[in-house]
């Protein structure tokens, strides 16, 4: 019999809900009957305000998508206590477990949101709000007929880029070769992103980079790793209309 899930949080609970991303005073922000994009425009709060209780501005804002068991996010948050970390994860259980670990560790610079990253990026995050984004080993959906379920697709990359600050960094990793090829194309084709390794599609290793939980398993199994290091350009690119 599996161990039963513990629901209590032994300390501060840093989980957020989608409503926390909107100004409570703004009626249109709470009206989800209309297009969400309108609500976002009407009442989006700054990401910094979600950390105002525990961090003194100015501070950088880092997003990790699909944190899994959360080892990487916990390590980063402990190493950089003056930086704000937002973790987005679709699994309720994983969010709950990391909320418990954060409380036990007494870390106050992390906020967690249980949601699909695609929705968070499209509907909740304000433009130019992120200094850094990590997407580590997002599900590869290896069957050809499931390719469309992969997180990193051109439309998602474009929306995510708009949420990054100019000059902000994007780190992506995968162990899956076909997914790596798809990611390479999606990132290269986003005109507002620039690669830190322009003569290579990806890097097989990034010296000094911390390992994630799944990564430890893939390394032990001898799987090939693919790392992508991109940055949003530091100046506005004027798209040429056809
Ligand atoms: C293969 S695991 C990797 C976990 C962790 N990043 C690591 O490297 O150890 C992928 C994680 O992404 C989460 N995930 C999958 N699709 C997601 C989505 N659309 N939005 C947010 N999280 C997602 C899964 O629940 C899972 O925890």
């Amino acid at each position: 019999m599996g161990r039963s899930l513990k629901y209590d949080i032994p300390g501060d609970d840093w989980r957020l809900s989608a409503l926390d991303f909107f100004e409570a005073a703004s009626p249109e922000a709470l009206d989800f009957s209309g297009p969400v994009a309108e609500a976002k425009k009407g009442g989006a709060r700054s990401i910094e305000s979600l950390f105002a209780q525990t961090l003194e501005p100015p501070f950088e804002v880092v997003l990790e998508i699909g944190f899994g068991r959360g080892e990487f996010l916990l390590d980063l948050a402990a190493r950089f206590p003056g930086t704000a970390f937002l973790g987005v994860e679709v699994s309720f259980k994983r969010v709950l477990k990391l909320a418990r670990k954060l409380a036990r560790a007494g870390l106050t610079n992390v906020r967690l949101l249980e949601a699909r990253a695609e929705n968070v990026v499209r509907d909740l995050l304000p433009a130019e709000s992120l200094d850094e984004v990590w997407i580590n080993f997002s599900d590869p959906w290896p069957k050809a007929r499931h390719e469309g379920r992969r997180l990193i697709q051109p439309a998602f990359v474009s929306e995510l880029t708009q949420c990054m600050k100019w000059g902000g960094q994007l780190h992506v990793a995968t162990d899956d070769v076909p997914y790596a090829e798809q990611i390479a194309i999606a990132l290269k084709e986003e005109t507002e992103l620039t690669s830190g390794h322009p003569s290579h599609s990806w890097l097989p290793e990034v010296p000094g980079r911390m390992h994630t939980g799944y990564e430890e398993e893939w390394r032990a199994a001898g799987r090939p790793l693919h790392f992508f290091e991109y940055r949003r350009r530091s100046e506005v690119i004027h798209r040429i209309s056809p």
Side-chain angles (χ1 to χ4, degrees):
M1 206 166 71
R3 283 198 301 164
S4 63
L5 201 56
K6 292 199 173 73
Y7 289 88
D8 66 300
I9 305 294
D12 292 318
D13 185 352
W14 297 114
R15 288 173 295 175
L16 301 172
S17 85
L19 286 181
D20 290 319
F21 286 76
F22 298 101
E23 293 292 352
S26 162
E28 65 272 35
L30 300 178
D31 174 12
F32 287 98
S33 57
V36 180
E38 271 175 34
K40 177 175 175 174
K41 266 190 254 154
R45 286 173 64 171
S46 73
I47 297 290
E48 282 80 2
S49 66
L50 299 169
F51 293 85
Q53 217 185 323
T54 53
L55 286 178
E56 268 302 310
F59 50 81
E60 297 203 330
V61 178
V62 177
L63 168 69
E64 186 183 1
I65 291 175
F67 54 73
R69 294 187 295 262
E71 303 94 331
F72 188 83
L73 192 53
L74 269 175
D75 273 8
L76 274 182
R79 279 172 56 172
F80 301 99
T83 297
F85 292 92
L86 174 63
V88 173
E89 168 56 63
V90 76
S91 156
F92 165 78
K93 226 188 212 183
R94 291 188 154 172
V95 173
L96 174 65
K97 286 185 170 182
L98 187 56
R100 287 174 50 81
K101 286 183 195 164
L102 286 173
R104 277 199 298 271
L107 287 170
T108 59
N109 56 333
V110 183
R111 302 292 181 269
L112 304 177
L113 180 64
E114 178 204 331
R116 294 187 69 79
E118 298 90 324
N119 299 345
V120 174
V121 163
R122 193 190 59 221
D123 299 331
L124 299 182
L125 297 179
E128 297 176 33
S129 57
L130 305 169
D131 291 278
E132 206 168 335
V133 180
W134 295 86
I135 308 177
N136 295 321
F137 303 95
S138 67
D139 295 327
W141 294 102
K143 291 189 182 144
R145 69 175 189 277
H146 291 152
E147 261 177 41
R149 298 187 190 178
R150 291 175 179 161
L151 177 66
I152 301 177
Q153 311 271 350
F156 173 75
V157 170
S158 165
E159 286 168 348
L160 179 64
T161 304
Q162 298 308 304
C163 295
M164 292 165 59
K165 292 184 185 166
W166 294 101
Q169 298 174 63
L170 172 62
H171 314 270
V172 179
T174 184
D175 60 301
D176 185 82
V177 177
Y179 193 18
E181 284 161 359
Q182 179 178 330
I183 293 170
I185 295 169
L187 296 181
K188 200 167 171 194
E189 289 187 347
E190 172 48 58
T191 54
E192 289 188 7
L193 290 178
T194 179
S195 172
H197 41 81
S199 47
H200 299 92
S201 296
W202 53 72
L203 302 174
E205 207 52 81
V206 177
R209 190 190 192 278
M210 289 174 355
H211 296 177
T212 75
Y214 276 70
E215 180 177 347
E216 293 290 9
E217 292 173 26
W218 307 147
R219 283 181 184 276
R223 289 181 68 91
L225 301 182
H226 313 77
F227 297 100
F228 301 83
E229 297 292 327
Y230 273 74
R231 193 175 271 283
R232 189 175 183 189
R233 293 179 191 280
S234 44
E235 76 284 357
V236 180
I237 303 292
H238 296 287
R239 292 178 193 258
I240 300 163
S241 19

